[in-house]
Amino acid sequence: MKTKKLFFILLISTVQFTHGVMAQIPELKKNFSEDGKYYIKATFLNQAWLRYNQSNPGTMVLGEPTDETFDIGLRRTRMQLFGQLTDHLFFYTQFGMNNFNYLSANSGNRKLQAFFHDALAEYHVFAGQNYLKIGAGLTITNGLSRFSQPSIGTIMTLDVPVFAQATVDQTDEFSRKLSLYARGQLGRLDYRIALTDPFPITTSGASIPPINADATFASMGHHKQYQGLFIWNFFDKEPNTTPYMTGTYLGKKKVLNLEAGAIYQQAATWTSDGVDTSFHDMFHWSVAAFLDMPLNKEKGNAISAYAGFFSMDYGPNYVRNNGVMNPGQSTNANASFNGTGSAFPMMGTGTTIYVQLGYLMKQDLLKKSGTLMPYASMQYSQFNKLDDPSVVLDGGINWLIKGHAQKLSLGLQNRPVFNANTYTLKERKNMLVLQYQVSI
């Protein structure tokens, strides 16, 4: 109970602190031409979390059994530097860190966190047009879906649906991959295709599970990934400056999209029956619709919605439990299937339906202090290994003090916990997060 009281005291204190802060958000941009065609721009983003979590059964923190946790962390801290240098040359870099809390120092050194997320160069084949951009480097340019390459500073929900970043920190670097790609816009068609050189699972920084009857990423062999995403814009075209895709435009655009995407890699995973080893291709595909548009221009209110169907095939019975910035450290292997802390079956072989819906209230709802945007989302996954579906429910509200540039978000997540041996639903747990975001 003391943990819960502390969380709400800090919630009230944070709300009081944000009132009236940052009257004007600056832009860090240097133009090299009078029309702003050539430029270099820098940005900064920080997402601080205050979190209360009901621990999965058997969770241990520093050798102590823990039924609940309260932690303070940095979900994301990022700096970007990018620009259009000539009619044909564009570059983009991003540096930062993720998931930094009191348990983050897996290497034994809490100072080793920041790294380059993106480092790419693009050649724009047609000067001043978005028809064809050819690029290479470390990039989040992905197939599968818009949430496989999300603009995290503009997301509507407290956090992105991480399952859509299908190989996150397994054979990529926090969803970024070394790729040669082409992207652009042809009329109302937004497209991106990529040839990707995945990282080996042995360099992920985590212990490699022994090969068994359930598929895991293979430690033997190396094959390229092939990716593609195609989006049809019915109304306004979405921005195409960087590969990142906006979460919500807060009523500034009228967007209705249909999308289809896929990722394929030969012999990406393997299994063993104790005698023979079998390799399995990884193939994911999805179809989805995205709606984000104003309802009343005078009031400034808007609606945002997304619905997607994902077919995921990692190989037989693959399931990955994941807890974002996990506040748990270890657990008894038989306590639950989920593992420690806040983890749940997030991605695996099977199908997933993901939906989200948000409503932006009128712009002057809180006068000079901004407005509110409540939201809800659901991830419904039927993984082949689990007897019951994995259903994760999220709901919350954004206080948009200065739009996405300064916002306070409160989110509640309700997740399933599965029995370790029967793979059936055992119980449900909750996680409450307060996030303060500053973006320049």
Side-chain angles (χ1 to χ4, degrees):
M1 294 300 295
K2 291 182 178 179
T3 302
K4 295 179 183 178
K5 290 180 181 178
L6 177 60
F7 182 90
F8 285 108
I9 289 172
L10 287 171
L11 169 61
I12 295 170
S13 300
T14 304
V15 170
Q16 292 174 340
F17 170 75
T18 57
H19 183 73
V21 177
M22 295 178 66
Q24 183 64 39
I25 307 297
E27 185 178 51
L28 306 177
K29 185 178 181 182
K30 171 65 175 177
N31 289 328
F32 296 111
S33 60
E34 291 185 1
D35 60 1
K37 184 178 180 180
Y38 309 130
Y39 66 92
I40 290 181
K41 184 175 180 179
T43 72
F44 171 79
L45 176 136
N46 195 63
Q47 295 175 337
W49 275 22
L50 308 179
R51 173 172 59 176
Y52 166 77
N53 180 63
Q54 294 177 336
S55 301
N56 290 341
T59 293
M60 305 281 286
V61 175
L62 299 176
E64 181 180 35
T66 306
D67 293 330
E68 60 181 14
T69 57
F70 169 75
D71 68 317
I72 305 169
L74 298 177
R75 177 66 176 100
R76 300 177 181 91
T77 300
R78 306 278 182 82
M79 294 177 286
Q80 298 176 100
L81 184 66
F82 60 94
Q84 190 76 39
L85 302 182
T86 72
D87 284 342
H88 298 279
L89 179 59
F90 174 81
F91 82 96
Y92 178 83
T93 60
Q94 183 174 193
F95 187 79
M97 66 180 184
N98 312 282
N99 301 331
F100 185 77
N101 68 354
Y102 71 106
L103 289 176
S104 298
N106 292 325
S107 65
N109 185 349
R110 66 179 68 96
K111 297 176 182 177
L112 299 178
Q113 289 293 329
F115 59 93
F116 274 101
H117 288 63
D118 304 82
L120 63 88
E122 277 186 352
Y123 181 78
H124 296 182
V125 177
F126 301 94
Q129 303 293 333
N130 291 327
Y131 300 146
L132 176 59
K133 302 175 180 181
I134 299 174
L138 182 64
T139 175
I140 202 169
T141 304
N142 266 293
L144 196 57
S145 76
R146 75 181 298 113
F147 285 118
S148 301
Q149 48 230 306
S151 167
I152 49 87
T154 63
I155 55 179
M156 176 184 68
T157 52
L158 178 77
D159 208 351
V160 295
V162 179
F163 79 90
Q165 300 170 41
T167 60
V168 60
D169 274 347
Q170 298 298 290
T171 59
D172 59 39
E173 185 177 83
F174 215 77
S175 295
R176 282 75 177 178
K177 305 174 184 181
L178 295 168
S179 298
L180 171 67
Y181 65 87
R183 66 184 187 94
Q185 293 176 329
L186 297 172
R188 296 195 175 278
L189 176 66
D190 188 313
Y191 70 93
R192 54 199 69 196
I193 56 176
L195 171 65
T196 294
D197 200 13
F199 296 103
I201 186 65
T202 51
T203 63
S204 67
S207 58
I208 308 303
I211 185 172
N212 56 53
D214 294 343
T216 56
F217 282 99
S219 301
M220 181 184 298
H222 184 74
H223 300 273
K224 300 295 186 287
Q225 280 183 12
Y226 303 91
Q227 306 188 67
L229 177 64
F230 303 91
I231 304 172
W232 187 262
N233 297 276
F234 286 95
F235 299 128
D236 293 345
K237 291 183 180 180
E238 296 196 66
N240 198 247
T241 303
T242 74
Y244 288 89
M245 305 207 71
T246 299
T248 174
Y249 293 98
L250 301 179
K252 300 299 189 293
K253 279 185 171 292
K254 183 181 180 181
V255 176
L256 175 61
N257 292 341
L258 293 179
E259 68 177 46
I263 300 176
Y264 171 78
Q265 182 181 338
Q266 179 184 351
T269 62
W270 61 0
T271 57
S272 175
D273 60 5
V275 178
D276 298 319
T277 297
S278 300
F279 290 85
H280 309 279
D281 297 346
M282 182 181 74
F283 179 57
H284 311 317
W285 62 269
S286 76
V287 291
F290 174 64
L291 172 72
D292 197 271
M293 62 176 59
L295 296 175
N296 186 308
K297 291 186 177 181
E298 292 182 0
K299 292 182 178 180
N301 58 350
I303 189 172
S304 184
Y306 179 90
F309 175 84
F310 296 76
S311 175
M312 314 289 276
D313 187 357
Y314 296 86
N317 287 335
Y318 178 95
V319 174
R320 181 185 175 193
N321 291 304
N322 190 33
V324 170
M325 198 165 66
N326 203 324
Q329 193 174 40
S330 61
T331 187
N332 183 325
N334 294 317
S336 75
F337 177 78
N338 292 44
T340 190
S342 61
F344 63 87
M346 183 177 288
M347 51 199 76
T349 294
T351 58
T352 290
I353 295 173
Y354 177 77
V355 295
Q356 63 174 223
L357 177 66
Y359 173 69
L360 177 67
M361 297 182 177
K362 63 180 183 177
Q363 290 298 318
D364 61 350
L365 180 69
L366 303 176
K367 307 302 180 184
K368 294 183 179 180
S369 297
T371 188
L372 301 175
M373 188 175 193
Y375 70 87
S377 70
M378 179 188 70
Q379 177 184 338
Y380 182 97
S381 300
Q382 187 67 69
F383 299 126
N384 292 355
K385 184 175 178 64
L386 302 180
D387 288 342
D388 293 322
S390 176
V391 183
V392 183
L393 303 174
D394 285 271
I397 190 166
N398 296 299
W399 175 13
L400 301 159
I401 303 167
K402 291 292 181 183
H404 290 302
Q406 186 195 11
K407 67 180 179 181
L408 195 67
S409 304
L410 182 65
L412 175 66
Q413 181 182 92
N414 179 260
R415 68 183 186 274
V417 177
F418 288 83
N419 289 295
N421 299 316
T422 61
Y423 310 123
T424 55
L425 183 65
K426 179 178 182 179
E427 59 182 319
R428 301 188 68 85
K429 296 286 187 178
N430 296 306
M431 182 175 74
L432 183 65
V433 180
L434 175 69
Q435 175 182 274
Y436 183 47
Q437 173 175 302
V438 175
S439 178
I440 298 174

